[in-house]
Amino acid sequence: MPELRPDQCAFFRENGYLMVENAVDGALLSRLKREFDAWVEESRAHTAAWGDTLDGRPRFDLEAGHSSETPCLRRVNAPVEVSEAYLAATVESRMADCVTDLIGPNVKLHHTKINSKLPGADTQVKWHQDFAFTPHSNDDVVTALLMVDEVTEENGPLQVLAGSHRGPIHSLWHGGVFTGAVADEVADAALPSAETCIGPAGSVCLMHTRLLHGSAANRSRRPRTLHISVYSAEDAVALSPNPVPSRYEGTLVRGERTGRVRSIDYELALPQMPTGASFFDQQARHREPGDTHANGLQGASHGARRAG
């Protein structure tokens, strides 16, 4: 039986995103919280990114200013490799069924990661489109952002430009440099109409790969942790190396393998793969002094969309 109603699928097609509550059950959500809290505690003993992933980059990424007293764990790469709970959330939960309703019936996994903004964290995400980081032969690719914590308007929520997935693919290269962000004028145009995605823990934001989005820093006393799973249609073939490779890449989550490739007409400049633990370093290296395209988001929301 479908998990999503026809009107929800229509909303996604029109706007490029959809908020859904109760994407995982309460018991699994509690496990996700406990495991991430344990990683935060572990981070107190580290002064730099640590752990190993498939391509040799660190699994656990720390924000500048991290200390044992004030831990700032901001990224876990491929958590499904080290956690049965996070693997279950990605592969077995209602979240995967919702994705199948949008791009199925045959769906495979591309990559997973956790992005967290602990209280007072300065991490910001400049405006970008995921597709420019992970181009495929077609754009039936969905980023599922599972809210491990409640996401409010104060703790650095995702903000999106509804309908932008039906527009151009914007370059992340500027002046010969891969900045990981769209041009300033594109960000400036998006800000006045930005919509904020908030909801209780256990909700998921299903986001089209071409949707323009970003987020501000967490200025609250509440954490904002997202478990992010990127899925594609089975006949969408990746055209550049996976920025977060894992042994689960290509796992068939729903349906069957057809052995076919489906292509659409577009062009873009291939991304530059991160050399550090995450793309946050790519964006931070090219942030100009006084840049407000990320932190200006918080006051620029056009409206809040709650999970439902």
Side-chain angles (χ1 to χ4, degrees):
M1 294 291 293
E3 286 288 343
L4 298 178
R5 303 184 306 269
D7 63 297
Q8 290 177 302
C9 294
F11 183 92
F12 178 85
R13 289 192 297 271
E14 177 68 19
N15 294 280
Y17 76 101
L18 178 69
M19 300 291 297
V20 180
E21 286 191 9
N22 301 313
V24 299
D25 64 47
L28 180 54
L29 180 62
S30 294
R31 290 173 62 197
L32 300 177
K33 288 174 179 278
R34 286 196 303 270
E35 292 200 13
F36 186 76
D37 287 345
W39 287 327
V40 172
E41 287 304 306
E42 182 182 355
S43 77
R44 295 178 187 272
H46 294 271
T47 58
W50 83 98
D52 296 317
T53 57
L54 196 63
D55 65 355
R57 289 182 294 130
R59 188 176 302 279
F60 300 95
D61 184 32
L62 301 174
E63 182 181 302
H66 166 85
S67 69
S68 59
E69 295 79 18
T70 308
C72 295
L73 177 61
R74 67 178 175 182
R75 162 67 70 86
V76 181
N77 289 311
V80 296
E81 291 190 323
V82 293
S83 166
E84 291 183 0
Y86 280 90
L87 179 61
T90 294
V91 176
E92 301 173 7
S93 73
R94 180 179 177 235
M95 178 171 72
D97 295 324
C98 291
V99 171
T100 302
D101 288 345
L102 297 176
I103 60 171
N106 308 314
V107 176
K108 63 186 178 184
L109 179 64
H110 187 254
H111 73 268
T112 64
K113 60 203 173 203
I114 298 171
N115 283 354
S116 184
K117 298 178 185 178
L118 295 177
D122 194 42
T123 292
Q124 307 166 11
V125 179
K126 285 188 171 185
W127 284 90
H128 67 281
Q129 294 163 301
D130 289 350
F131 198 58
F133 282 100
T134 55
H136 283 63
S137 61
N138 66 67
D139 60 6
D140 275 343
V141 182
V142 170
T143 302
L145 303 102
L146 177 65
M147 300 176 182
V148 179
D149 303 306
E150 179 184 10
V151 177
T152 70
E153 294 195 53
E154 291 75 39
N155 64 355
L158 173 76
Q159 291 193 283
V160 303
L161 181 62
S164 56
H165 66 301
R166 294 181 280 111
I169 301 171
H170 299 282
S171 180
L172 305 182
W173 290 86
H174 306 291
V177 175
F178 187 77
T179 68
V182 298
D184 289 350
E185 57 268 24
V186 176
D188 289 339
L191 285 174
S193 300
E195 297 184 7
T196 305
C197 300
I198 60 177
S203 303
V204 66
C205 177
L206 304 171
M207 187 175 67
H208 192 282
T209 186
R210 288 171 61 164
L211 190 72
L212 272 167
H213 64 283
S215 65
N218 181 1
R219 300 304 184 194
S220 78
R221 296 183 177 180
R222 308 178 70 173
R224 193 233 64 175
T225 301
L226 302 177
H227 172 48
I228 302 173
S229 302
V230 179
Y231 306 88
S232 76
E234 183 269 343
D235 60 4
V237 174
L239 302 180
S240 66
N242 195 325
V244 190
S246 86
R247 66 178 183 270
Y248 291 103
E249 181 180 350
T251 295
L252 194 67
V253 175
R254 296 291 185 275
E256 61 185 24
R257 296 196 185 278
T258 66
R260 299 184 65 81
V261 177
R262 177 168 50 91
S263 299
I264 62 173
D265 184 22
Y266 75 91
E267 61 178 79
L268 56 71
L270 289 171
Q272 182 181 76
M273 290 298 101
T275 56
S278 73
F279 88 115
F280 292 120
D281 292 331
Q282 289 173 309
Q283 288 201 341
R285 279 197 302 269
H286 304 295
R287 181 174 292 135
E288 296 297 327
D291 181 8
T292 59
H293 292 114
N295 58 21
L297 284 168
Q298 217 160 23
S301 175
H302 183 259
R305 171 70 62 172
R306 286 188 174 273

